[in-house]
Amino acid sequence: MKVVVDASNVAHHKKNENGQPQMSNILAAVKALEESEDEFVIIADASLRHDIDDKEKFLKLLESENVEEVPAGNDADHFILDIATRERAKILSNDKFRDYAAEFRNISSMRIPFIIDNGRLTFGKPKKPKKDKNILQHICDEIIKELNFKKWEIYTGKEGLEISPLNIAKQAIIRIDNENNAESKLENIFAKIPMFNKIVEMVDDVEIAAPYVIFVLVHPKDYKIAVKNAGNISVTVADRLGLEKKPLIAVRNDLFTKPGTFELNILLADEVTQSAPYNVLVRVSEHDEVFIKKNSRNIASTIAGRLGSWKFPFVSVKPDMLLEKPGQFEIELEKGSGLDD
């Protein structure tokens, strides 16, 4: 971790009996940072050399490579904030820098408060910025908007039905039957649907000429149950609708779907694309980088399932210094062939 030491604030933390800022406070900060093995630079206000109690030690400190004195005529607080922002560093200071909140919007999370007791400096915990709990959904929403703008059709259902193999089969039958304008009443079909645990036949060989592809969109926690019953769902749908070919079942993790629910994106086989038309670059703040990288495949799965493509788009995540707050991100679509699912 990089740390910028606000030398004036540290020195003034506890003044001596004559009301002078103390050199011992700065030395306590140096010792604490050296013990923590953090990289640090000390920034001293130009006036501090005149006010500090031990001027000789302070002038010697100024000769060190990692100590810098604010040039005369410059605002010391602004100078410190500017360096910390450029270096993506924390600031060791009890100053809250309220006068600069409009220009430097992430001060509370940059600042490391401290206390000095019996000559020893102890770090406080910097306030963590509030994170966007729904950032993954917001990223997917933005990608979908971009794809819509480029005239790609995207499945947008987000209500979700209670997940079970039987409910998935029922919903698939309803949707396909409605699309085909079948005259038979679905109540008769449902009355004859066998229980799934009694279905013995499983689909071992996927038939390429299947008329439909059913993308089952589920929360990652429900992925296994959907995959486990994919064969039974396919057999049941084909049998009850009298299809010559069994539909293909493609289960996809979907970030819009709540645990315990599912959505279906049903397409004719010739409507399914082999690859996603675009790969995705997501620029994020450093606060969200690790989390979004960890979930990049779920983002890719969500887009593939709602777009109706076999291969996932490649989702790359890059930190961007201009995106300072948690929850900030930018999306860029790039032509590409995508990844295998």
Side-chain angles (χ1 to χ4, degrees):
M1 180 173 69
K2 293 182 179 180
V3 180
V4 176
V5 179
D6 182 353
S8 181
N9 182 267
V10 172
H12 281 84
H13 178 67
K14 284 187 176 180
K15 298 179 181 180
N16 66 11
E17 57 186 11
N18 297 319
Q20 293 175 295
Q22 298 191 85
M23 181 64 195
S24 60
N25 291 347
I26 297 177
L27 296 177
V30 170
K31 183 178 180 180
L33 288 165
E34 288 178 342
E35 289 176 350
S36 65
E37 298 183 350
D38 288 318
E39 181 182 347
F40 65 94
V41 60
I42 299 172
I43 306 297
D45 190 320
S47 64
L48 188 57
R49 63 164 64 208
H50 304 295
D51 301 329
I52 201 159
D53 61 347
D54 194 331
K55 294 177 176 58
E56 183 178 346
K57 284 187 178 180
F58 182 76
L59 292 175
K60 186 175 181 179
L61 180 71
L62 289 177
E63 297 174 3
S64 303
E65 291 184 358
N66 64 334
V67 179
E68 185 174 353
E69 197 170 35
V70 179
N74 284 268
D75 184 304
D77 288 345
H78 189 279
F79 191 87
I80 289 169
L81 288 165
D82 187 55
I83 288 179
T85 300
R86 285 190 283 108
E87 294 296 323
R88 301 174 72 178
K90 302 294 185 182
I91 302 173
L92 182 66
S93 179
N94 284 332
D95 189 342
K96 295 185 178 180
F97 303 101
R98 289 191 177 95
D99 293 341
Y100 305 90
E103 181 178 356
F104 301 93
R105 299 184 178 181
N106 214 21
I107 293 174
S108 61
S109 62
M110 293 168 63
R111 193 174 62 85
I112 303 176
F114 64 91
I115 58 172
I116 298 176
D117 190 26
N118 293 323
R120 184 172 183 81
L121 184 143
T122 304
F123 303 119
K125 291 184 178 180
K127 184 179 179 181
K128 291 185 178 180
K130 187 177 181 180
K131 294 199 172 185
D132 180 359
K133 295 181 180 179
N134 298 314
I135 189 170
L136 297 176
Q137 290 82 358
H138 293 159
I139 288 173
C140 290
D141 264 330
E142 194 63 28
I143 296 170
I144 288 172
K145 288 179 184 177
E146 289 290 325
L147 289 169
N148 280 332
F149 180 76
K150 295 180 181 294
K151 308 302 181 183
W152 286 89
E153 291 187 10
I154 306 289
Y155 179 74
T156 57
K158 298 178 184 178
E159 295 301 319
L161 300 171
E162 183 179 353
I163 192 168
S164 74
L166 186 60
N167 284 346
I168 293 173
K170 283 183 178 182
Q171 186 64 15
I173 291 169
I174 290 173
R175 295 267 296 277
I176 294 173
D177 187 77
N178 286 343
E179 288 179 9
N180 291 335
N181 295 315
E183 295 181 358
S184 60
K185 292 187 177 181
L186 295 177
E187 289 80 0
N188 293 331
I189 294 176
F190 292 153
K192 298 176 182 178
I193 292 180
M195 295 300 292
F196 275 79
N197 59 7
K198 294 182 180 179
I199 296 178
V200 177
E201 181 184 357
M202 296 294 291
V203 180
D204 294 322
D205 298 317
V206 174
E207 299 182 66
I208 302 302
Y212 293 97
V213 177
I214 302 173
F215 288 93
V216 182
L217 312 180
V218 299
H219 188 275
K221 291 182 179 179
D222 299 314
Y223 181 81
K224 288 184 178 180
I225 186 174
V227 170
K228 180 180 179 181
N229 289 279
N232 290 343
I233 294 168
S234 179
V235 169
T236 301
V237 172
D239 180 50
R240 296 307 167 182
L241 287 176
L243 302 177
E244 292 184 7
K245 302 291 184 179
K246 302 179 187 70
L248 297 179
I249 307 296
V251 181
R252 296 289 184 262
N253 285 336
D254 185 83
L255 292 169
F256 293 117
T257 306
K258 296 179 181 179
T261 68
F262 72 94
E263 284 282 352
L264 298 181
N265 182 18
I266 303 176
L267 300 172
L268 292 171
D270 59 5
E271 294 176 332
V272 178
T273 60
Q274 181 64 26
S275 302
Y278 295 93
N279 291 324
V280 183
L281 169 62
V282 186
R283 295 187 179 90
V284 299
S285 77
E286 62 175 350
H287 305 285
D288 300 312
E289 179 187 1
V290 174
F291 176 68
I292 295 175
K293 279 184 175 178
K294 184 178 179 181
N295 284 278
S296 61
R297 190 163 181 82
N298 284 334
I299 294 173
S301 177
T302 300
I303 300 306
R306 289 178 175 269
L307 182 63
S309 66
W310 287 120
K311 290 185 177 180
F312 292 4
F314 181 78
V315 177
S316 57
V317 180
K318 294 182 179 179
D320 192 308
M321 290 181 62
L322 298 180
L323 303 173
E324 298 179 358
K325 289 185 176 181
Q328 289 184 319
F329 65 88
E330 293 178 355
I331 298 297
E332 183 177 333
L333 300 187
E334 304 171 329
K335 281 286 187 180
S337 58
L339 300 174
D340 293 330
D341 60 358

